[in-house]
């Protein structure tokens, strides 16, 4: 496909975009009286306009029904979380009984490691990617220490090759192979937060299982962004936050996946609470834990219903649009963004380097701005482009297909060009 870097051409792409109306379903921040160009849906998704109504409904039921809302609200609270499962299952490629919502991401990974990190004998090591998201590093290190291991020895971090900005699948598979027999767990980020790389989750899961390890995925940057087939890939467990591509609101509840095959195991270790016990007997307040035969068995407490409300609002939009359509637009808008960057690069003789590897991209392009610094980033922000900056000089651009337009990409290119020209005095 040949693109053009003109306003007319971008508008034509917008007119052909079957998802263009979804832009109207979200609130945009304003800079200088105009909607911003929002590139940080990978960090905090925009607010769906319907979210307010979903929250208001809970507030109203609480006001008018108080405790009776648990059973008599229009959407009763005691099983409110179950309303989210069908959409989540479709988004992550799972059976409905394999997903649940609870807590927040890092907390959930810790809880899932109670079940799926079970070191014994020589098999105690954990494999992850180097420079994993800091929370994941702290989590893995503290889990290892909790079990009496030295993270320096027991945590295997797969490196990128010198001079390269991405991981090679063959290197990851090789690392798994060379530690086979010692690996208790492979736990990685499905989409890397820094370079935007989508790892080959199917191949890595297969290799991890073949090496006798459990395999889990942190899907913070993957859920709602890339194709996932957790059930078919035979992933053991996974978790994701909902406030990035899933647009559920700051710090909001996380989702989990536990493969069906683990749910029948009566001896699986797990930290338990009353919301994981069978719904039929939950309110009999019996002393014995009787697990729900679904991922809900991992729920500990009764869920924060007020928080689930905007998450449910957002999932309705995912159900309407469908992941296939979102992914199709994502690929096209990311390709157009890459084209626009290339045009700007040529016109101002700058040197952008896209470090997100072709063939392993989701919604995000991470761009090294050689010779450009923080002032350019500040210029973008002041001119209505919301992006983020990672040291040393990488900007991450994630044009979320739900609400970003091709015209946004064109306008971004013009602002970027102007910013570079103004500061180089050309
Ligand atoms: C965003 C992100 C997190 C955030 O964790 P919380 O527990 O939700 O604060 C964790 N891991 C990765 C890979 C992330 O991208």
């Amino acid at each position: 496909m040949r693109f053009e870097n003109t306003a007319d051409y971008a508008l034509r792409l917008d007119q052909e975009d079957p998802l263009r109306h979804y832009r109207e379903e979200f609130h945009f921040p304003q800079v200088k009286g105009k909607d911003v160009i929002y590139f940080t849906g990978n960090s905090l998704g925009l607010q769906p306009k319907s979210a307010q109504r979903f929250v208001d409904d809970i507030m109203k039921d609480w006001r008018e029904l108080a405790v009776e809302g648990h059973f008599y609200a229009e959407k009763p609270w005691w099983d409110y979380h179950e309303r989210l499962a069908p959409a989540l299952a479709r988004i992550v490629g799972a059976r409905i009984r394999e997903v649940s919502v609870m807590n927040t991401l890092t907390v959930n990974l810790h809880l899932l490691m109670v079940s799926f990190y079970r070191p014994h004998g020589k098999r105690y090591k954990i494999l992850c990617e180097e420079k994993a998201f800091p929370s994941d590093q702290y989590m893995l290190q503290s889990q290892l220490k909790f079990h009496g291991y030295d993270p320096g020895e027991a945590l295997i971090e797969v490196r990128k090759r010198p001079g390269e900005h991405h991981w090679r699948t063959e290197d990851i598979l090789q690392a798994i192979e060379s530690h086979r027999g010692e690996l208790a767990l492979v736990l990685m980020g499905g989409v890397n937060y820094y370079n935007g790389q989508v790892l080959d989750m199917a191949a890595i899961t297969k290799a991890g299982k073949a090496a006798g390890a459990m395999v889990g995925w942190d899907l913070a940057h993957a859920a709602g962004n890339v194709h996932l087939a957790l059930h078919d890939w035979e992933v053991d467990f996974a978790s994701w936050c909902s406030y990035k591509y899933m647009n559920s609101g700051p710090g909001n509840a996380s989702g989990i996946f536990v493969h069906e095959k683990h749910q029948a195991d009566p001896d699986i270790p797990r930290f338990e609470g009353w919301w994981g016990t069978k719904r039929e007997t939950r309110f009999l307040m019996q002393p014995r834990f009787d697990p729900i035969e679904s991922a809900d068995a991992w729920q500990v407490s009764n869920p924060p219903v007020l928080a689930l409300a905007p998450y449910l609002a957002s999932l309705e939009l995912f159900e309407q649009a469908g992941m296939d359509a979102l992914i199709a637009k994502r690929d096209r808008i990311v390709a157009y963004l890459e084209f626009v960057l290339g045009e700007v690069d040529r016109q101002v003789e700058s040197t952008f380097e896209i470090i997100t590897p072709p063939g392993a991209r989701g919604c995000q392009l991470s761009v090294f701005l050689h010779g450009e610094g923080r002032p350019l980033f500040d210029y973008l922000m002041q001119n209505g482009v919301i992006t983020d900056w990672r040291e040393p000089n990488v900007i991450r651009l994630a044009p979320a297909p739900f609400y970003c337009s091709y015209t946004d990409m064109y306008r971004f290119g013009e602002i970027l060009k102007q910013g570079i020209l103004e500061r180089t005095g050309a």
Side-chain angles (χ1 to χ4, degrees):
M1 143 113 35
R2 293 235 355 244
F3 291 126
E4 291 169 28
N5 188 28
T6 65
D8 281 351
Y9 182 81
L11 185 63
R12 214 161 74 224
L13 290 180
D14 280 327
Q15 285 163 347
E16 289 168 6
D17 170 11
L19 298 183
R20 65 187 176 281
H21 300 298
Y22 281 98
R23 193 176 167 82
E24 311 300 325
E25 304 288 337
F26 292 86
H27 289 291
F28 282 75
Q30 308 265 308
V31 169
K32 298 180 184 165
K34 267 178 130 174
D35 285 356
V36 297
I37 299 168
Y38 197 71
F39 279 122
T40 43
N42 57 350
S43 186
L44 182 72
L46 292 182
Q47 182 183 132
K49 289 181 180 167
S50 57
Q52 181 76 55
R53 179 166 49 83
F54 278 66
V55 174
D56 287 348
D57 285 348
I58 311 269
M59 294 300 280
K60 176 170 176 291
D61 289 334
W62 177 24
R63 196 161 60 232
E64 296 179 356
L65 301 172
V67 73
E68 298 280 271
H70 280 300
F71 294 105
Y72 301 110
E74 196 189 315
K75 295 188 180 92
W77 306 330
W78 79 287
D79 61 356
Y80 194 95
H81 60 278
E82 292 181 12
R83 294 171 185 272
L84 286 78
L88 285 176
R90 269 185 279 280
I91 290 168
V92 301
R95 308 228 157 121
I96 291 174
R97 60 179 293 198
E98 291 175 320
V99 297
S100 185
V101 280
M102 56 196 223
N103 315 310
T104 43
L105 172 55
T106 310
V107 171
N108 282 340
L109 288 172
H110 273 301
L111 288 172
L112 289 163
M113 285 181 74
V114 170
S115 300
F116 298 106
Y117 175 55
R118 282 137 61 182
H120 52 95
K122 282 204 279 191
R123 197 179 272 289
Y124 61 89
K125 294 190 178 173
I126 301 177
L127 183 136
C128 67
E129 72 278 30
E130 72 168 332
K131 298 199 178 134
F133 190 83
S135 197
D136 297 32
Q137 296 185 42
Y138 308 149
M139 169 189 72
L140 295 174
Q141 290 164 11
S142 62
Q143 283 275 342
L144 285 165
K145 284 190 265 181
F146 175 76
H147 285 279
Y149 301 106
D150 168 14
E153 191 263 335
L155 189 60
I156 300 152
E157 298 182 297
V158 182
R159 299 189 183 289
K160 300 169 202 153
R161 296 191 184 183
E164 294 189 352
H165 296 293
H166 67 282
W167 290 268
R168 296 199 187 194
T169 304
E170 69 220 68
D171 292 351
I172 298 171
L173 301 184
Q174 173 60 39
I176 292 172
E177 181 56 32
S178 65
H179 291 280
R180 97 183 271 122
E182 308 174 333
L183 277 186
L185 175 66
V186 174
L187 178 51
M188 309 179 93
V191 175
N192 184 258
Y193 79 99
Y194 184 78
N195 70 359
Q197 179 180 2
V198 184
L199 294 188
D200 187 341
M201 289 176 261
I204 294 166
T205 302
K206 193 160 169 234
K209 300 307 299 169
M214 291 285 184
V215 180
W217 290 97
D218 178 336
L219 300 176
H221 281 259
N225 174 16
V226 301
H227 170 73
L228 296 168
L230 301 182
H231 177 85
D232 289 346
W233 295 339
E234 299 201 37
V235 168
D236 292 300
F237 70 99
S239 187
W240 55 91
C241 50
S242 59
Y243 46 82
K244 292 174 179 168
Y245 292 104
M246 309 273 285
N247 310 321
S248 77
N252 207 348
S254 154
I256 66 158
F257 165 88
V258 175
H259 200 282
E260 197 168 60
K261 70 185 170 207
H262 296 298
Q263 294 173 13
D265 176 1
D267 299 319
I268 195 159
R270 179 171 51 210
F271 285 172
E272 294 169 337
W274 71 324
W275 233 253
T277 199
K278 283 214 177 77
R279 37 190 288 174
E280 297 78 15
T281 50
R282 181 177 305 150
F283 300 104
L284 300 179
M285 304 300 196
Q286 291 167 336
R288 196 179 60 82
F289 184 80
D290 190 9
I292 307 175
E293 285 161 18
S294 80
D296 286 345
W298 275 261
Q299 285 194 325
V300 181
S301 298
N302 78 104
V305 176
L306 268 173
L308 298 190
Y311 196 176
L312 184 58
S314 166
L315 288 176
E316 264 192 3
L317 295 175
F318 274 93
E319 287 286 81
Q320 287 165 21
M323 277 310 293
D324 289 346
L326 286 163
I327 287 172
K329 176 173 175 188
R330 175 203 76 188
D331 286 344
R332 200 162 192 222
I333 198 165
V334 169
Y336 188 56
L337 172 61
E338 182 178 24
F339 166 79
V340 168
L341 280 166
E343 291 294 292
V344 174
D345 200 22
R346 212 167 38 76
Q347 289 169 18
V348 298
E349 294 179 33
S350 190
T351 46
F352 306 151
E353 182 188 357
I354 297 177
I355 62 173
T356 312
R361 289 178 182 172
C363 195
Q364 174 179 328
L365 290 181
S366 298
V367 186
F368 236 105
L369 302 174
H370 293 289
E372 299 289 346
R374 180 108 201 164
L376 177 62
F377 169 76
D378 294 337
Y379 178 90
L380 292 174
M381 295 293 278
Q382 282 151 16
N383 286 277
V385 179
I386 310 290
T387 170
D388 86 359
W389 173 267
R390 296 280 140 160
E391 296 299 331
N393 53 352
V394 167
I395 56 170
R396 302 187 302 166
L397 305 168
F402 252 131
Y403 45 73
C404 290
S405 69
Y406 295 89
T407 298
D408 285 342
M409 301 306 106
Y410 168 74
R411 281 183 50 221
F412 163 66
E414 295 304 292
I415 295 168
L416 179 65
K417 186 162 62 183
Q418 193 59 33
I420 293 171
L421 292 178
E422 275 186 21
R423 286 173 334 84
T424 53

